[in-house]
Amino acid sequence: MSELRQDPVIGRWVVIAPERGARPQEFEPEPEEDIRADVCPMCEGNERMTLPEVFAIRDSTEPDRPGWYVRVVPNKFPALRVEGELEAVETGLFPHMNGIGAHEIVIETSEHTMDLAFAPDEQIIRVLTAFRRRVEDLRRDTRFRHFVVFRNHRRAAGATLSHPHSQIIALPIIPKLLLDQLAGSSRYFSQNGRCIFCDIVQRELDEEVRIVQATDHFVAAALYASPYAYGVNIYPRRHSHDFVTMTVEEQVDLASLLRRLLMAYRSAAFNPPYNLVFQMAPSIPPACEVPQGCANMEEHYHWHIQVAPRLSSVAGLEWGTSFYINPVAPEEAAADLRKGLPSA
Ligand SMILES: [Zn+2]
Ligand SMILES: [Zn+2]
C-alpha cells in the first residue's frame, strides 16, 4: 500500500509508492519505445488487457469491446488506491496517511499512432468530455480534495506507453503548489477586489508580446515568469474556478486551440516532450475545514491549463532551490510559437 507523507518543514506532500516496484536500473534512461499494436493494452481489440472501463464514448457497442472513441480505465499500477478508509496515521512531526486516491487512464483514441496535434477536433472534444465526466463522478467521493488531469507526451516527460493517453489522479490532500496559488489569488482579491488571473489575461492582451493565440473563449500566452523554456498557460476568458463549468461552445473552441498549440510546438521546438496539466480549484467537502486561501475561491481562483515542455533537464540549482534559469525569453518563445501555428 502506498503512503502519503508530508514534509515537516515546507508542508509538501509526497506519495511513497514502493509497490510500483521501481528499482535503480529502471531509472536508467531508455530509448523512445514503440510497443507493437498487438501487445499494446490501449489499442482497440486489446480491451481485455485493461481493467474494466469506468467511462467510454462508443457508438452503442458493448463495454470493454471494440468500437469506441475514448475509454477511461483504472490504472493497473496506481500510485494511489481507491479502496479503504482515509486514515491520518500521524499528525505530529512526520505526518502521513494511507495512500487513498484514484488513478485513471484516459485512452484518447483507439489509434496507436495518432498524435493530438493531428487529431480531428471532434476527437479532442471527446477527450475533454471524458475529463469533465470523470472529474464530476470522482467528486462524489468525499474522501477526495483535489483532482489533477494531466498528459505526459513522450518518455522524457514521463510517458511509459506511446499510445496517446492522459491521466486523472484524485488526491485526499491539496498539493502545496495549489495552496500557494490559492494564497496568492486570495491575497490579490482581498487587496484589489478582482481575480488576479482575469487581470493577467487583460494585461497579456494589452501587451500582446506574449500572446500565442487568442480565440473567442481562450487566451494562450507564454508565461511572463516561466521557469522553463516555452512554458505556456491557457486561460479561459470567462472567469470560473472550475473547468467542469466549460460550456459546449467553449469546449469546441478549446479543442481547436489545443490542437493548433501542440502543432506549433512541433514546428517551433521539434516535437518536445511536454507535460500538460489542468489546474482547477480543489473540492472541499461540506463538513471539512476550509484551508487557508480556499475561502471564496469561486471568486479569486481561475482554472487554466499549463503546458510545460521538457527542453532542458532540471539541474542542481533548480532542484536545490526551486530557483530556475530559463534560457528563452517568454516573448521570443511566443513569437516562435506564433510562427509555428497552423493556418487552420
Ligand atoms: Zn496502442
Ligand atoms: Zn478570473
Side-chain angles (χ1 to χ4, degrees):
M1 179 91 183
S2 59
E3 183 176 88
L4 282 149
R5 294 187 185 176
Q6 188 176 30
D7 183 296
V9 182
I10 63 169
R12 177 182 56 204
W13 286 94
V14 174
V15 183
I16 308 291
E19 65 203 55
R20 283 165 71 87
R23 289 292 173 267
Q25 62 272 21
E26 292 176 49
F27 294 116
E28 289 284 314
E30 286 173 46
E32 201 82 23
E33 102 296 13
D34 193 33
I35 290 181
R36 289 193 338 275
D38 59 335
V39 293
C40 170
M42 299 189 197
C43 272
E44 190 166 30
N46 294 345
E47 290 78 10
R48 265 162 289 175
M49 291 173 74
T50 68
L51 293 174
E53 67 197 35
V54 290
F55 176 82
I57 300 178
R58 329 175 139 264
D59 284 335
S60 50
T61 45
E62 293 277 306
D64 299 313
R65 303 272 168 182
W68 48 274
Y69 298 99
V70 174
R71 275 182 94 218
V72 184
V73 298
N75 191 328
K76 260 193 176 172
F77 307 101
L80 295 160
R81 291 191 180 278
V82 112
E83 304 85 18
E85 292 295 315
L86 191 58
E87 301 160 24
V89 185
E90 191 191 316
T91 52
L93 186 61
F94 281 176
H96 58 105
M97 60 172 82
N98 52 352
I100 298 289
H103 190 168
E104 299 183 350
I105 304 290
V106 180
I107 309 173
E108 297 168 342
T109 167
S110 56
E111 285 174 51
H112 188 79
T113 54
M114 190 200 75
D115 186 293
L116 272 201
F118 297 100
D121 285 357
E122 52 273 25
Q123 188 62 23
I124 304 177
I125 293 168
R126 291 182 187 116
V127 172
L128 294 171
T129 300
F131 291 166
R132 290 176 49 193
R133 295 281 298 277
R134 285 313 300 150
V135 169
E136 280 171 335
D137 189 49
L138 287 164
R139 273 198 185 141
R140 289 193 228 139
D141 191 325
T142 54
R143 295 172 303 169
F144 302 148
R145 296 293 192 90
H146 189 55
F147 303 88
V148 192
V149 178
F150 64 101
R151 176 167 218 275
N152 301 332
H153 178 66
R154 301 184 58 190
R155 184 176 282 275
T160 48
L161 288 175
S162 58
H163 194 117
H165 67 283
S166 301
Q167 302 179 53
I168 299 176
I169 290 192
L171 296 169
I173 51 96
I174 304 173
K176 178 167 164 47
L177 179 72
L178 189 73
L179 284 175
D180 289 349
Q181 281 193 348
L182 285 158
S185 61
S186 159
R187 191 167 49 237
Y188 188 90
F189 191 85
S190 57
Q191 286 164 356
N192 302 285
R194 293 187 309 275
C195 159
I196 189 167
F197 297 95
C198 285
D199 279 8
I200 290 170
V201 170
Q202 193 51 56
R203 175 83 176 253
E204 292 295 4
L205 288 168
D206 291 345
E207 290 195 14
E208 276 183 73
V209 283
R210 281 175 301 275
I211 297 287
V212 178
Q213 199 185 10
T215 61
D216 288 350
H217 299 288
F218 290 89
V219 173
L223 263 183
Y224 170 70
S226 182
Y228 36 77
Y230 291 88
V232 166
N233 270 13
I234 303 172
Y235 306 97
R237 287 183 189 251
R238 180 174 64 82
H239 176 83
S240 170
H241 66 298
D242 188 2
F243 94 113
V244 304
T245 65
M246 239 193 311
T247 64
V248 173
E249 204 183 318
E250 287 166 341
Q251 210 169 308
V252 170
D253 192 53
L254 178 60
S256 154
L257 172 70
L258 265 179
R259 174 180 54 75
R260 290 161 51 78
L261 179 64
L262 296 180
M263 189 61 102
Y265 272 113
R266 288 185 85 99
S267 321
F270 313 105
N271 189 21
Y274 65 79
N275 301 112
L276 189 151
V277 184
F278 283 66
Q279 297 285 10
M280 65 195 92
S283 307
I284 314 288
C288 294
E289 188 191 328
V290 178
Q292 213 172 9
C294 295
N296 311 324
M297 55 192 177
E298 301 77 11
E299 288 179 306
H300 64 75
Y301 195 75
H302 191 124
W303 78 271
H304 57 280
I305 300 170
Q306 291 181 316
V307 188
R310 297 288 196 94
L311 290 162
S312 53
S313 53
V314 171
L317 175 70
E318 289 86 354
W319 272 120
T321 59
S322 279
F323 181 81
Y324 287 81
I325 299 177
N326 176 354
V328 181
E331 295 72 22
E332 277 173 46
D336 286 351
L337 289 169
R338 279 197 302 270
K339 272 184 241 153
L341 281 174
S343 50

